[in-house]
Amino acid sequence: MLEKRVAETDYKSTLKLPKTDFPMKANLPRREPEMLKHWDELDLYARLMDARKDAESWVLHDGPPYANGRVHLGTALNKILKDFVVRSRSMLGFRTPFVPGWDCHGMPIEYKVSRDLGGDKARTTPKLELRKRCRAEAEKWVDLQRSDFRRLGCIGDWFNPYLTMAPEYDAAEIRVLRNMVEQGYVYRGLRPVHWCFDCRSALAEAEVEYRDHVSPSIYVAFPFNSNLKDAGALAVEANDRAELAYAHKAGKLSAVIWTTTPWTLPANLGISLNETFDYVALKVGAHYYVVATRLADSVAKECGLAVEKRIPFDRAAIKAYDGQDIFRHPFLPRDVKLMYAEHVTADTGTGLVHTAPGHGYEDFVVGRKYGLTPFTPVDGSGVFTRDGGEWEGQNVFKANNSIVEKLRSVGALLHSQKFTHSYPHCWRCHNPLIFLATEQWFVGVDHNGLRAKVIDAIDSVKWYPAWSRDRIRNMTETRPDWTISRQRAWGVPIPAVRCAECDEVAPLLVTMDRVEEIFAREGSDAWYTRPAADFVAPGVKCAKCGGSVFIKEEDILDVWFDSGSSQAAVLAVRPELKWPADAYLEAVEQARGWFSSSLFCAVSERGKAPFKSIISHGLTVDEKGRKMSKSLGNSEDAVDAAGRMGADVLRLVYASLDYTADITLSPTIFSAVSESYRKIRNTCRFLLGNLADFDPERDAVQLKDMLEFDRFILARTEKLKAEVRRAYEAFEFQTAFQVMQNFIVVDLSSLYVDVARDRLYCAAENSRERRSAQTALFNILDVLVRMLAPLIPFTAEEVYGYMPGKRLDSVHLTTMHPANPAWHDNELEARWDRLLKVRDEALKLLEAMRKSGTIGAPLDAAISLGADGGSDSGLAETLKRYRDELKDLFIVSDVSILADAEAAEIRNQASGREDFAVDGTFARAAANPAITLVGRHASGAKCARCWKYFDDAGGETLDARCRAVVGA
């Protein structure tokens, strides 16, 4: 009968083996661009906004990247993380408009254009022409970067972005400036700023990077002059006073300072002490050197001083000379002031700090307190002016050695050596910076309590990770006033004018009305094409001389003022967005950049932060630990990486790592994640293959009718849903990836698929057993594909396109499934978790049998087992109840239950061993759970179709189930 129905060698044709057109080989570099084209044809972003039009909005505001260069792996990390946020929030059911932006102004672009022009031509090119070239350069890179970001699978309103060089943005930025001017936050003044003499411009703190730099480390003696009327009175002990007075009269009493910037000594105007320190004079031969008591030993050791005696100073006596010029400059005909300042520490140095108010912010602060006007004998090119005396015309750094030799020649140098230390460098040209007092525009961060208000705003925001709040809070507490002017061409001009008669700079408000109106129509280039009279309000006269003719200033706004204004120019203007945004996401270094500038711009106007939460990420670094950047050239272009391994694999790399710390990228991590991706893809393919003949509406089994093991895996899936949802809500993408990967590899592939495979392949096509398993697989895949979509959108879309049943046009138009209480079953999970522990012990026994050659595959085995303690343990009853399911769970041909006495007798033979032999069979005595297992080769015949052993008393080729299926 059977032979007539199915040829003996053709049982394979009766199996329901996986069948799908979903390709095993991903070939992402080819398929992903095809998917992008499909999304464009679908107009996916617009469709998504329409699909969520009635949903609650959730806005991530895009921090603008510089429009210069291809997207490297560091920039890709930032935009992909943003895409994780946008897509995951969308899958959680929110409406998530994402408006990309570009920072089009600033030094990176102007530097590139100037370099291409060449030094002489760049200096002689009119500013309007230079700006025209800069605009074209920015437009080029906006187009290229947009293409790069889209290739990485990032969704957004890519063809309607915001650009900081757009006329409407220029006008909005002027509105922000106007508000700050009206409230008195903006002032013009002389103050030291970070200055790059190569770029010829001031830099904000956010534009400074710190690198190792080798400087001369010198200890210098400043003699006390005759303004010190009673040197002896400085001594604590009466018997030291005459000695100290004599040393002073002989010109042998000196204060010792330590510095690593000898070039600033010509600008020295004072020495700062700490009023909480004690000071002491160290007698070295005929000389007496004054240092802080607590630093005396380290100074003596560093300078090689043979100290013969120490004369402690009276703290009140020296404080009496506060503000007096009691020191003589070591090589200039100038007396310098004794001052007290909080920035004097005992960490290094001598406890007396060389103070040049024209070349240091703290020096400037203490100098202003004591009425000192900054003295700056250095010009914008970093060269000493005539005021620099014998060093006139020399570069400051090149003058260091000459100044050290000058000190040596006048006997003021105690010690000199080379010193490697962290030093500020220009973020663009990477050259060392100087502090230079120049006329600049500033935002007074303490005016009207602005600093305190910003700190309150910081405290009101949710920070991810939590420690990133402390970073920006600490910076804000100590930051100086914000330098908002730059001496460059490519940016939004500060609309300042000065009197043509007396050079007096007019208040900014005299131009604001007209500037905003004209910039909105013509863009900020109008500042360079129109005369000053077009911008100055009618009837304005110079407050100093009464003149009515004005000349335009040409400073531009700091590029961080550009980006800090985006909250007003974009969030507050675009109708699909909202103010404040739900989140900003940038690298942690933006604590002193965009996060900070946005806070100061927003709080000054609206009194609160422009964001509800901040998500900070670390940097991508190479294998040497160096930050990946365009300027260093140590990063592969992101599109090249996508072309090599696929954007989804690159995205999964970022999802697999803790983005809150710096991320080291290497071939090892790419290889490991590629393997993880293959496992995910192959598992999805297996699930699709087993759903080839499954129609959810027609074939799905009701939950109550499903097999218990299938309900168990759905209960596990329900837990997974909750874990992934929590991870996405907390922006923990690594957690989301890890729990999904663990579920796919462990719960699904190694457990459920292994156990259910027999039913899927061998059971009757429409049997409850098979349809129940298919129902579970379909539900699992439908859950997984939606949860994977934010991380690997291309692959999720591809999988979704092969799923059976009714579908939307894109997986990205769906949402993650809400909680399903019907799937949740604690009691069922507890029972099966207990059975899985038994399975673990069975698998160990089977592995021992396989290694010995007793069996080739688990189906060759039969297992007998019993619970230690018999029915009292509760496990015995569970094993009896699930005896039939245990065969499938262990993937063996037969399972029998040992009687309590038999199990106890076998266990007694273990003699403390886990694995042992009983009458030529394999046995295992497990402690947790307390069970005894005996394994043997299965008896009977091997079914030619399902490979299970069965009682062949009738001489059949197939077991009863397979005979029924084949004969049906």
Side-chain angles (χ1 to χ4, degrees):
M1 178 84 175
L2 290 177
E3 291 176 359
K4 293 178 181 178
R5 292 172 183 244
V6 181
E8 185 176 355
T9 57
D10 195 27
Y11 291 127
K12 183 177 180 180
S13 66
T14 70
L15 299 175
K16 303 301 294 182
L17 297 175
K19 182 180 180 181
T20 179
D21 291 330
F22 182 80
M24 179 183 295
K25 185 174 175 58
N27 203 1
L28 296 177
R30 181 179 64 81
R31 286 198 177 90
E32 288 172 342
E34 293 172 355
M35 188 67 73
L36 278 176
K37 184 179 179 182
H38 168 69
W39 287 339
D40 286 345
E41 292 169 351
L42 192 61
D43 197 4
L44 180 59
Y45 178 78
R47 288 281 300 277
L48 181 57
M49 292 303 99
D50 184 63
R52 303 278 196 273
K53 63 180 182 293
D54 297 324
E56 179 185 352
S57 71
W58 199 98
V59 175
L60 173 69
H61 182 37
D62 187 29
Y66 283 114
N68 69 318
R70 300 304 293 253
V71 173
H72 63 77
L73 292 178
T75 311
L77 168 66
N78 174 263
K79 201 67 79 176
I80 286 172
L81 286 175
K82 289 175 180 174
D83 198 56
F84 289 168
V85 172
V86 170
R87 288 184 182 275
S88 62
R89 278 300 193 271
S90 177
M91 294 301 287
L92 288 169
F94 292 98
R95 185 173 187 268
T96 55
F98 184 69
V99 177
W102 272 275
D103 210 336
C104 304
H105 291 137
M107 194 60 211
I109 292 171
E110 186 172 346
Y111 180 84
K112 170 69 165 55
V113 169
S114 299
R115 189 180 63 187
D116 290 347
L117 283 170
D120 291 339
K121 189 172 181 181
R123 282 189 288 272
T124 58
T125 298
K127 282 193 175 180
L128 192 61
E129 174 62 23
L130 191 65
R131 287 172 62 88
K132 179 181 177 182
R133 288 173 180 266
C134 287
R135 183 178 300 278
E137 182 76 8
E139 288 171 346
K140 176 185 77 173
W141 289 116
V142 166
D143 287 342
L144 288 170
Q145 289 188 3
R146 171 169 40 221
S147 174
D148 290 355
F149 289 137
R150 280 166 38 81
R151 175 64 186 86
L152 297 174
C154 300
I155 196 168
D157 198 356
W158 287 110
F159 296 98
N160 190 24
Y162 75 88
L163 306 176
T164 63
M165 64 182 179
E168 64 272 17
Y169 197 102
D170 290 343
E173 189 170 341
I174 293 298
R175 279 198 303 276
V176 173
L177 179 64
R178 175 180 183 155
N179 170 73
M180 299 181 87
V181 170
E182 287 175 339
Q183 296 190 60
Y185 291 114
V186 179
Y187 68 93
R188 183 175 175 84
L190 179 68
R191 206 201 73 183
V193 294
H194 281 118
W195 183 270
C196 178
F197 53 73
D198 185 67
C199 298
R200 301 288 184 93
S201 180
L203 275 73
E205 184 64 33
E207 297 171 316
V208 176
E209 61 183 23
Y210 287 83
R211 296 180 170 201
D212 283 348
H213 181 70
V214 179
S215 302
S217 168
I218 60 173
Y219 290 80
V220 182
F222 278 64
F224 285 83
N225 62 23
S226 59
N227 292 331
L228 177 62
K229 300 303 181 183
D230 185 3
L234 298 179
V236 171
E237 301 294 334
N239 57 2
D240 290 328
R241 290 170 183 167
E243 181 180 354
L244 205 58
Y246 180 81
H248 175 233
K249 187 176 181 181
K252 303 296 185 182
L253 179 63
S254 303
V256 180
I257 63 93
W258 171 73
T259 183
T260 57
T261 55
W263 66 267
T264 62
L265 286 171
N268 175 276
L269 298 180
I271 296 177
S272 298
L273 284 67
N274 188 315
E275 63 182 3
T276 67
F277 289 3
D278 289 317
Y279 291 87
V280 63
L282 306 178
K283 182 179 186 301
V284 182
H287 292 274
Y288 292 76
Y289 298 118
V290 178
V291 299
T293 303
R294 66 181 72 180
L295 289 165
D297 289 341
S298 63
V299 172
K301 181 179 179 181
E302 187 76 10
C303 296
L305 303 179
V307 178
E308 303 165 19
K309 182 179 180 180
R310 301 181 183 217
I311 300 178
F313 275 24
D314 181 271
R315 201 183 279 188
I318 195 167
K319 186 71 164 65
Y321 289 95
D322 185 12
Q324 297 187 34
D325 297 336
I326 64 170
F327 304 112
R328 187 68 175 172
H329 194 287
F331 56 75
L332 292 173
R334 179 192 310 151
D335 292 327
V336 300
K337 198 177 296 295
L338 181 150
M339 301 177 286
Y340 284 89
E342 293 181 356
H343 73 271
V344 179
T345 70
D347 297 335
T348 55
T350 67
L352 299 96
V353 174
H354 147 56
T355 304
H359 291 300
Y361 176 70
E362 291 166 327
D363 299 38
F364 170 77
V365 171
V366 68
R368 183 170 57 183
K369 174 184 170 185
Y370 284 88
L372 295 177
T373 300
F375 174 54
T376 312
V378 177
D379 66 17
S381 62
V383 169
F384 279 106
T385 64
R386 180 177 300 177
D387 290 333
E390 62 187 272
W391 294 282
E392 180 183 357
Q394 291 189 39
N395 174 274
V396 291
F397 292 127
K398 292 180 179 179
N400 271 333
N401 291 338
S402 176
I403 292 172
V404 172
E405 288 308 310
K406 179 72 173 181
L407 291 166
R408 194 188 312 275
S409 69
V410 299
L413 184 68
L414 271 67
H415 180 68
S416 174
Q417 66 180 42
K418 295 298 183 184
F419 179 67
T420 301
H421 60 132
S422 180
Y423 189 84
H425 286 68
C426 175
W427 69 302
R428 169 46 44 191
C429 67
H430 308 300
N431 288 321
L433 303 175
I434 60 174
F435 261 103
L436 190 69
T438 61
E439 286 279 348
Q440 300 289 340
W441 291 97
F442 299 95
V443 170
V445 298
D446 289 308
H447 174 73
N448 197 25
L450 181 58
R451 187 194 305 270
K453 292 174 184 176
V454 169
I455 290 173
D456 287 343
I458 289 169
D459 291 342
S460 71
V461 169
K462 182 79 171 175
W463 296 85
Y464 301 89
W467 56 259
S468 62
R469 166 193 167 275
D470 295 337
R471 180 185 176 98
I472 190 171
R473 200 180 196 281
N474 293 339
M475 288 178 176
T476 305
E477 287 174 345
T478 59
R479 68 161 295 161
D481 286 351
W482 180 8
T483 313
I484 60 170
S485 50
R486 295 292 180 272
Q487 291 64 52
R488 306 303 301 175
W490 181 228
V492 176
I494 296 176
V497 294
R498 67 171 62 241
C499 177
E501 297 295 326
C502 69
D503 245 15
E504 179 76 2
V505 176
L508 286 173
L509 286 177
V510 305
T511 65
M512 287 294 188
D513 282 340
R514 291 189 170 187
V515 167
E516 182 182 339
E517 177 189 342
I518 292 171
F519 281 13
R521 291 197 315 267
E522 304 173 19
S524 57
D525 279 353
W527 186 255
Y528 301 91
T529 59
R530 287 172 170 260
D534 286 3
F535 300 102
V536 179
V540 169
K541 303 288 185 183
C542 173
K544 185 176 180 181
C545 73
S548 59
V549 179
F550 294 91
I551 302 169
K552 292 175 294 182
E553 289 279 278
E554 293 198 349
D555 284 356
I556 62 170
L557 282 165
D558 172 20
V559 71
W560 295 108
F561 199 96
D562 281 23
S563 57
S565 300
S566 67
Q567 45 82 30
V570 183
L571 285 179
V573 174
R574 295 279 289 248
E576 71 271 35
L577 305 179
K578 63 183 181 180
W579 200 108
D582 289 284
Y584 281 23
L585 184 158
E586 298 296 333
V588 69
E589 61 186 359
Q590 292 302 326
R592 60 190 184 123
W594 188 50
F595 296 160
S596 182
S597 65
S598 297
L599 278 165
F600 278 94
C601 288
V603 172
S604 68
E605 180 180 4
R606 296 178 179 240
K608 65 178 184 178
F611 38 73
K612 297 176 183 177
S613 58
I614 287 285
I615 308 161
S616 295
H617 64 82
L619 307 176
T620 54
V621 298
D622 61 21
E623 290 174 305
K624 295 180 180 178
R626 298 179 304 169
K627 172 188 172 182
M628 288 183 169
S629 67
K630 299 182 183 81
S631 56
L632 287 180
N634 61 340
S635 172
E636 180 181 19
D637 285 346
V639 289
D640 291 340
R644 178 169 51 82
M645 66 180 111
D648 272 359
V649 173
L650 180 61
R651 293 172 66 100
L652 215 54
V653 167
Y654 292 143
S656 71
L657 300 170
D658 177 10
Y659 68 80
T660 64
D662 286 350
I663 291 174
T664 302
L665 298 179
S666 67
T668 302
I669 186 67
F670 289 142
S671 176
V673 173
S674 294
E675 183 58 31
S676 297
Y677 171 82
R678 278 192 289 274
K679 289 179 180 178
I680 293 170
R681 183 180 184 88
N682 289 341
T683 300
C684 290
R685 184 173 187 273
F686 178 86
L687 268 57
L688 288 170
N690 281 283
L691 295 171
D693 65 341
F694 181 78
D695 182 333
E697 289 190 2
R698 180 193 68 207
D699 301 319
V701 177
Q702 294 293 315
L703 183 66
K704 62 182 177 61
D705 297 323
M706 293 176 69
L707 270 61
E708 193 170 301
F709 187 59
D710 299 336
R711 288 191 284 120
F712 166 73
I713 197 62
L714 290 183
R716 283 265 180 106
T717 305
E718 186 65 17
K719 276 190 173 180
L720 173 72
K721 286 164 54 181
E723 289 175 346
V724 172
R725 180 176 287 268
R726 280 194 299 268
Y728 278 141
E729 287 172 346
F731 314 112
E732 294 173 359
F733 307 115
Q734 182 187 39
T735 300
F737 167 69
Q738 287 177 342
V739 296
M740 284 191 282
Q741 182 186 39
N742 188 67
F743 178 84
I744 288 169
V745 173
V746 178
D747 291 344
L748 204 51
S749 296
S750 298
L751 174 61
Y752 183 75
V753 166
D754 237 16
V755 172
R757 196 187 311 269
D758 176 73
R759 279 188 282 147
L760 290 166
Y761 292 4
C762 301
E765 178 176 346
N766 293 310
S767 65
R768 170 176 167 256
E769 292 81 7
R770 184 167 181 272
R771 292 304 191 195
S772 175
Q774 286 182 305
T775 302
L777 292 182
F778 175 80
N779 281 300
I780 291 167
L781 185 58
D782 196 35
V783 165
L784 276 176
V785 74
R786 298 169 191 235
M787 295 192 305
L788 286 168
L791 305 184
I792 46 174
F794 293 104
T795 303
E797 187 79 293
E798 188 182 2
V799 171
Y800 186 72
Y802 284 90
M803 288 185 63
K806 293 180 179 178
R807 301 187 305 272
L808 299 181
D809 289 336
S810 170
V811 69
H812 303 295
L813 299 175
T814 69
T815 58
M816 291 183 206
H817 288 289
N820 187 346
W823 286 10
H824 185 69
D825 192 330
N826 283 332
E827 290 184 4
L828 181 144
E829 278 199 88
R831 286 197 304 273
W832 280 90
D833 283 341
R834 199 174 191 188
L835 289 172
L836 289 178
K837 289 182 178 179
V838 176
R839 179 179 188 262
D840 290 340
E841 299 302 324
L843 294 182
K844 293 174 185 176
L845 178 67
L846 291 170
E847 179 61 14
M849 296 173 67
R850 187 193 64 78
K851 285 184 175 179
S852 72
T854 303
I855 61 172
L859 284 175
D860 294 342
I863 289 180
S864 301
L865 74 167
D868 187 29
S871 58
D872 291 339
S873 70
L875 179 58
E877 292 304 314
T878 301
L879 295 178
K880 290 175 183 176
R881 175 183 170 187
Y882 286 91
R883 188 186 77 84
D884 289 339
E885 285 85 348
L886 291 178
K887 287 194 301 182
D888 292 331
L889 191 61
F890 299 166
I891 316 177
V892 295
S893 287
D894 188 42
V895 170
S896 60
I897 304 300
L898 295 170
D900 293 348
E902 186 180 4
E905 180 181 349
I906 294 172
R907 193 173 187 85
N908 287 336
Q909 297 180 47
S911 301
R913 295 169 295 169
E914 281 193 334
D915 295 303
F916 57 101
V918 177
D919 298 330
T921 63
F922 286 81
R924 181 171 178 81
N928 183 25
I931 56 172
T932 301
L933 303 97
V934 177
R936 66 181 191 282
H937 195 287
S939 60
K942 184 176 183 178
C943 175
R945 183 171 180 271
C946 69
W947 297 356
K948 288 182 179 179
Y949 284 79
F950 67 101
D951 182 1
D952 62 345
E956 301 289 352
T957 306
L958 306 178
D959 65 11
R961 179 193 61 174
C962 288
R963 290 199 300 274
V965 172
V966 172

